[in-house]
Amino acid sequence: MKQAMIFAAGLGTRLKPLTDTMPKAMVRVGGQPLIWHVIQKLKQAGYERIVVNVHHFASQIVDYLKANDNFGLDIRISDETSQLLETGGGIKKALPLFDPSEPILIHNVDILSNLDLNALPMDTPLLVVSERKTKRYLMFDNDMRLQGWTNIETGEFKGPISQFSNLNSQLRKLAFSGIHVFHPSLAPLLDEWPERFPIMDFYLKACGDHLIRGYDAKDLRLLDVGKLDTLDKAEEFVSL
């Protein structure tokens, strides 16, 4: 069974004032909420079980899914209304809702892309990346194994590579897409982490001892619908 998680619990502060009355997942693009676009993409790729985490105006998402009969899928809610757990804590809380033996595709609710989800290898932890201009990059060796993270404006490093900044020029710098595969081999490592934490901090610590690969998505068209000024671009994106 193919299973996925949609991160939909964020406050959507960059989309104010729209998110003063609704969750980011319910902001409409092309006449449909953002969460509709992600669910349809997952459904077309054969995903049967989807867990959606909720926090900000959670009932709107729950009611929307119920009104649409969960789009014929096994959609489950991970309730974070009492406390927003960030991405890592969100996965940790949601794990009991999944089949523990199968990988989980994680997808941000505000990401639109032309990525072929069926092309992703699911046998190891995987971060979907591409060559895009940004301030923050994930860093990979020649085997596309995660080695660290850097902010090119501040010069900050995280991960094993932070101890060997002289190797910086030897590593590929690629931008994270907001789409990744959480593999069950990493689940036991979550026990030592607190209730609330970012998943990227987890990956950057784990990559020193565990294989976490990058997937360089060629010809990737991706739009992060995170700000008001991206909504017009999003309308154009979904119309193509």
Side-chain angles (χ1 to χ4, degrees):
M1 178 182 61
K2 299 173 74 172
Q3 52 187 9
M5 180 172 184
I6 300 175
F7 282 151
L11 299 176
T13 52
R14 294 182 299 162
L15 281 171
K16 284 178 171 287
L18 294 177
T19 48
D20 287 337
T21 56
M22 69 178 73
K24 177 167 54 177
M26 295 303 296
V27 171
R28 288 182 174 264
V29 171
Q32 298 286 356
L34 282 169
I35 195 169
W36 180 90
H37 292 280
V38 179
I39 289 173
Q40 295 305 314
K41 188 173 183 66
L42 292 168
K43 185 174 182 177
Q44 290 166 14
Y47 282 82
E48 302 170 38
R49 177 177 297 174
I50 300 174
V51 173
V52 180
N53 68 339
V54 295
H55 172 81
H56 185 57
F57 290 110
S59 62
Q60 291 188 30
I61 299 174
V62 173
D63 292 346
Y64 173 74
L65 295 172
K66 187 180 298 183
N68 287 277
D69 296 319
N70 287 334
F71 299 95
L73 301 171
D74 176 7
I75 297 183
R76 305 175 177 197
I77 296 296
S78 182
D79 189 350
E80 297 181 22
T81 51
S82 62
Q83 181 187 12
L84 190 59
L85 299 177
E86 298 191 54
T87 49
I91 293 174
K92 183 176 181 179
K93 179 180 175 63
L95 280 184
L97 300 173
F98 289 105
D99 180 340
S101 65
E102 296 292 334
I104 305 165
L105 177 71
I106 312 291
H107 200 300
N108 288 357
V109 76
D110 55 1
I111 294 296
L112 301 173
S113 81
N114 66 341
L115 180 68
D116 180 0
L117 298 181
N118 285 321
L120 300 180
M122 305 290 284
D123 56 339
T124 61
L126 193 77
L127 307 175
V128 177
V129 292
S130 65
E131 293 186 359
R132 301 194 317 277
K133 287 187 177 181
T134 183
K135 299 176 184 178
R136 294 170 287 274
Y137 289 95
L138 294 174
M139 306 173 73
F140 300 88
D141 62 21
N142 290 334
D143 295 321
M144 286 300 289
R145 179 170 181 158
L146 180 65
Q147 295 292 338
W149 169 96
T150 185
N151 183 319
I152 60 172
E153 284 195 348
T154 65
E156 181 185 4
F157 289 93
K158 291 183 181 179
I161 190 60
S162 63
Q163 304 172 38
F164 309 104
S165 57
N166 60 309
L167 296 179
N168 181 7
S169 62
Q170 301 176 30
L171 296 174
R172 294 187 65 191
K173 297 183 182 69
L174 297 165
F176 181 49
S177 67
I179 303 169
H180 50 114
V181 175
F182 184 85
H183 195 268
S185 61
L186 295 181
L189 304 182
L190 290 174
D191 292 341
E192 64 187 59
W193 285 76
E195 188 177 20
R196 185 174 185 267
F197 63 95
I199 192 60
M200 196 54 69
D201 285 357
F202 170 82
Y203 286 143
L204 290 167
K205 181 178 180 182
C207 73
D209 301 308
H210 297 80
L211 176 63
I212 300 175
R213 289 198 182 279
Y215 178 84
D216 185 3
K218 303 296 184 183
D219 301 315
L220 178 68
R221 289 178 51 247
L222 181 141
L223 184 63
D224 178 352
V225 192
K227 299 180 182 178
L228 287 175
D229 60 9
T230 61
L231 288 178
D232 287 341
K233 295 178 183 178
E235 293 285 343
E236 182 179 346
F237 191 102
V238 299
S239 68
L240 296 177

